[in-house]
Structure formats: C-alpha cells, structure tokens
Amino acid sequence: MIKGFATSEGTNKFAESHIDVPQQNYRKIQSLTLSNVGIGTYLGNTDSETDLLMKNAVKKSILQGVNVIDTAINYRAQKSERTVGKAISELVEEEKINRNEIFISTKNGYVTNDADIQEDFMDYVIREFGKTGIVKEGDISSQYNCITTPFLEDQLARSKKNLGLECIDLMYLHNAIEGQPQMPREKLIVYLKNIFEFFERQRKEGNIRFYGLATWECFRVSKDNSNFLSLTQVIYLAEQVGGKAHGFRFIQLPYNFQFDQALMQKNQPFGSSNQTILESARQNDIGVFTSVPLMQGKLLEWIRNKPELTHQSPSVNALQFIRSTPGVLSPLVGQKSDLHVQENLEVLKIPPYSEEEFSALLGKLTH
C-alpha cells in the first residue's frame, strides 16, 4: 500500500516540473494544483490487453503533465481501479513521480462483480454481500445501486486494496439520486446525511481526503424533475455533519457540446432567482470535474463542421472549450491508445481561453 495523498507542495512541484506545459493549465483548489485535463477510465473490455493499454495511457498522461486520475470500483468490474493502481505503483517505483503529486478519485455505490473471478454476477453478489450480511433484502435498488453504510464501508476497503493506496484523495458517492428511483426524497436526504457522516469518519481515519457526488442527471435537470438536487442543500448537509471544514468539495457531471445544461440551465436556487450549477459551484468553491467530453467520439464529426472552432484536432477543440468554461475544473477524457493520448494532450501545449475569449466563442456557437 502506497502511503500519502495529494498535497499542496507535491501538486505544485508537479506543475512546476512540467516546464513545457503553460502554467495556466493548472488550477488551484483546496490548496492543490491540479491539471485542467484529467484522465478517465470508464470504458473497455475486462481483458489483460485493455489492462495494458489503460495502464500505459495513465502513465503517459501523467508524464505529459496530467495529475488528475478518475476511476470507479464498477468500471470494468474493478479492473480499472487495479490498472490505475499498477500505473501509479510503477511510476512511484521508477521514481518518476511521488504519491503526493497525483490526485486520484474513485466512486462507490454501484454493485459490481469482480472480473478477475470467473463467477456468475448474482452468485458473486450473494456470496460476497448477501451471505456476509453486508447487504440485506431491499438494500440494492433496481439500478443495482446500494448506498447503505455497511456496503460503502466494504467498497471503500476494496477500492483502497485495488488501488494500492492507504488514502484516496476523493471518494464520490456514485449516482445516488439517479440510482435510487424508488426511494422517497425525504428518506434519500437522510441517507445522504448518514453517508456524509461516514465519509467524515473516514477522513479522520486517513482513508480519504475529500468526498463528493458523481452524478448523471441530478444537477442538470429542471427543478420539477424528480431527479433534481440542490447543490446548496447538499453543502448544508455536509456543514451539519462536518462544520465549515467539511470534506464535501467536489462534484462530477456530464458536460460537452451536446450536454450543455451545466452551462445553460439556470436550475439552482440563488436568492429569489436561479443560477446554473457551474455558477453555484463556483460561488461555493466546489470543484467540478466533467465527464464524457467527446461523447465516446460521437461529437467529433459535429466539431469538424464548426468553422468557429479553430484548433486542428476535434478532440482538442472539445477539451479546450470545456476546460475554459468558467466553473469547470477539469474534463475527464478516456484514452487508451498512444495515438489518442498524444492527440488529446495536445491541448496541454496551449493555454485555456480567457473568460472573454470563451464568451466570444460561445456567442458565435449559439447564434
């Protein structure tokens, strides 16, 4: 198990060591210096070939200036976490990085099997969670989501083991709103408060540094949608259990040229009016990591046909727009092949747009 966690000194040293990366490509939050592009590890087969591709992509991304790594226990049925762990371990052993330079996040909440064990999914769940009493009847939703404290405690221990880390920088609760459609909202809020109490205990024990919500819909939909969630209400829950020094400091949500609600939808309460989730997060000093920047490649052709986007690569155009959006900390891009790593990380060779440049480009794209 690798000791330590991302620190102010370590992440600042990492940024300064990459002299070929404009320093505007690193952002300060919670005293950390984080790259404004991160690597995601969601998609891929559960085979050894994908393990190798992903491991090499993570290592090459870090060596080129990325210090934000995102995964989840259910990604590739625990193999993505293990692959990230191997990549970090090898780089530390090779003395190419220190643990305190890299910010690693993972997610718990979805029930997953173990791709390294050849066993039927339900047989695995019954053996690992049912017979052991970790989950009981009714704990797992129709979406295979479980947010009980015993389950999350078990999953945190597994994530630490998979990653080979004594401390995880950021632990997300994964799609809790979307994954519990049958649960009344009042009950769900009680669950969230209990989970935040659990996360605060884990912070004190040194197992995690921060916690957050990784979401799909709840921060992007209108207020009358059953999945809607108010960011200020969540922050209030965190303050109730952790005080002003609480650890709820990050969220994750989809944002790209097609999923533009984070930028355009004014759904978050703000005094007598409303503001967007990005505005609310910025006002409350909540870091926003964004997912699916390229929609698994589905947006690349659309981007190619936009003359307003002037960079040579469609992926660079997408990442440049997203990371330059006020309120966005880092888009998380999934990449495995050497070609995609090189193509996507060309964005690190240029600074992000200024707010004025971003506003002008947005005006061109929306008129």
Side-chain angles (χ1 to χ4, degrees):
M1 300 284 279
I2 300 174
K3 299 179 183 295
F5 46 82
T7 66
S8 175
E9 179 184 16
T11 55
N12 187 59
K13 177 184 174 184
F14 180 89
E16 290 181 344
S17 69
H18 290 275
I19 57 176
D20 53 337
V21 177
Q23 289 303 290
Q24 302 98 306
N25 291 333
Y26 295 95
R27 302 245 169 87
K28 294 275 189 181
I29 188 166
Q30 302 302 321
S31 299
L32 302 174
T33 305
L34 304 182
S35 57
N36 63 8
V37 175
I39 181 169
T41 58
Y42 173 40
L43 295 177
N45 296 325
T46 57
D47 53 30
S48 57
E49 181 181 359
T50 304
D51 287 343
L52 182 60
L53 286 171
M54 184 175 286
K55 184 189 75 172
N56 289 338
V58 171
K59 292 177 71 173
K60 288 177 180 178
S61 298
I62 292 172
L63 295 176
Q64 290 190 44
V66 172
N67 70 343
V68 171
I69 314 297
D70 180 82
T71 190
I73 195 168
N74 61 308
Y75 290 175
R76 299 176 57 243
Q78 301 192 53
K79 288 178 75 68
S80 286
E81 281 190 334
R82 290 171 187 154
T83 301
V84 168
K86 289 176 183 176
I88 299 300
S89 176
E90 288 182 11
L91 287 174
V92 169
E93 289 174 3
E94 294 162 4
E95 298 185 347
K96 293 179 178 176
I97 62 167
N98 292 313
R99 168 66 183 96
N100 65 2
E101 298 176 306
I102 309 299
F103 185 86
I104 301 166
S105 62
T106 191
K107 312 175 189 75
N108 288 168
Y110 277 112
V111 180
T112 183
N113 59 330
D114 185 337
D116 286 334
I117 299 176
Q118 299 301 312
E119 186 175 11
D120 176 77
F121 177 87
M122 287 309 301
D123 289 344
Y124 175 88
V125 171
I126 292 169
R127 178 175 59 79
E128 288 288 317
F129 307 125
K131 292 182 178 179
T132 57
I134 293 170
V135 300
K136 56 185 184 295
E137 187 176 354
D139 284 350
I140 300 175
S141 76
S142 59
Q143 307 296 312
Y144 289 95
N145 190 276
C146 183
I147 57 174
T148 63
T149 301
F151 178 74
L152 295 176
E153 187 169 18
D154 170 89
Q155 295 292 280
L156 172 56
R158 292 176 195 255
S159 287
K160 287 180 58 181
K161 182 178 179 181
N162 288 341
L163 290 163
L165 303 177
E166 283 197 352
C167 180
I168 296 168
D169 297 299
L170 170 58
M171 175 58 75
Y172 290 109
L173 184 63
H174 200 177
N175 284 0
I177 307 300
E178 300 88 338
Q180 299 287 334
Q182 81 296 336
M183 189 177 292
R185 179 51 59 95
E186 296 78 13
K187 184 178 180 181
L188 187 55
I189 295 302
V190 172
Y191 263 86
L192 279 181
K193 186 176 180 181
N194 291 338
I195 292 165
F196 286 2
E197 289 174 345
F198 164 72
F199 282 150
E200 290 291 344
R201 289 197 300 273
Q202 299 307 313
R203 293 181 70 215
K204 290 177 181 176
E205 293 173 12
N207 293 315
I208 64 174
R209 287 281 286 163
F210 302 101
Y211 57 95
L213 296 179
T215 70
W216 187 253
E217 282 193 344
C218 68
F219 289 130
R220 300 186 299 122
V221 295
S222 61
K223 293 169 71 173
D224 58 357
N225 189 297
S226 60
N227 279 336
F228 170 78
L229 188 63
S230 163
L231 179 61
T232 53
Q233 182 182 21
V234 176
I235 294 170
Y236 175 70
L237 289 177
E239 290 177 344
Q240 282 187 304
V241 301
K244 291 295 184 181
H246 63 83
F248 178 80
R249 300 296 173 181
F250 299 92
I251 62 173
Q252 186 179 135
L253 49 77
Y255 173 55
N256 55 46
F257 283 118
Q258 180 175 336
F259 289 166
D260 62 0
Q261 297 91 342
L263 175 65
M264 308 299 287
Q265 169 100 281
K266 290 186 178 293
N267 62 348
Q268 294 291 314
F270 179 61
S272 60
S273 60
N274 296 302
Q275 59 185 180
T276 69
I277 183 63
L278 290 179
E279 290 170 335
S280 181
R282 198 177 187 190
Q283 183 180 47
N284 289 286
D285 197 26
I286 299 294
V288 181
F289 293 106
T290 65
S291 57
V292 292
L294 309 179
M295 286 285 288
Q296 284 92 51
K298 296 174 184 176
L299 289 175
L300 297 181
E301 192 59 38
W302 181 89
I303 295 170
R304 285 190 186 97
N305 294 321
K306 285 291 179 182
E308 300 89 348
L309 302 172
T310 57
H311 298 289
Q312 290 184 344
S313 163
S315 62
V316 169
N317 276 310
L319 295 172
Q320 178 73 339
F321 181 86
I322 295 164
R323 71 175 184 156
S324 301
T325 303
V328 170
L329 183 55
S330 304
L332 304 166
V333 58
Q335 48 194 18
K336 298 181 189 70
S337 71
D338 288 349
L339 177 63
H340 287 159
V341 172
Q342 290 302 126
E343 182 180 355
N344 295 334
L345 295 190
E346 286 291 309
V347 75
L348 289 182
K349 297 180 179 179
I350 57 176
Y353 296 129
S354 67
E355 289 200 23
E356 293 75 14
E357 290 171 329
F358 176 83
S359 181
L361 177 58
L362 180 62
K364 292 177 182 178
L365 290 171
T366 55
H367 287 91

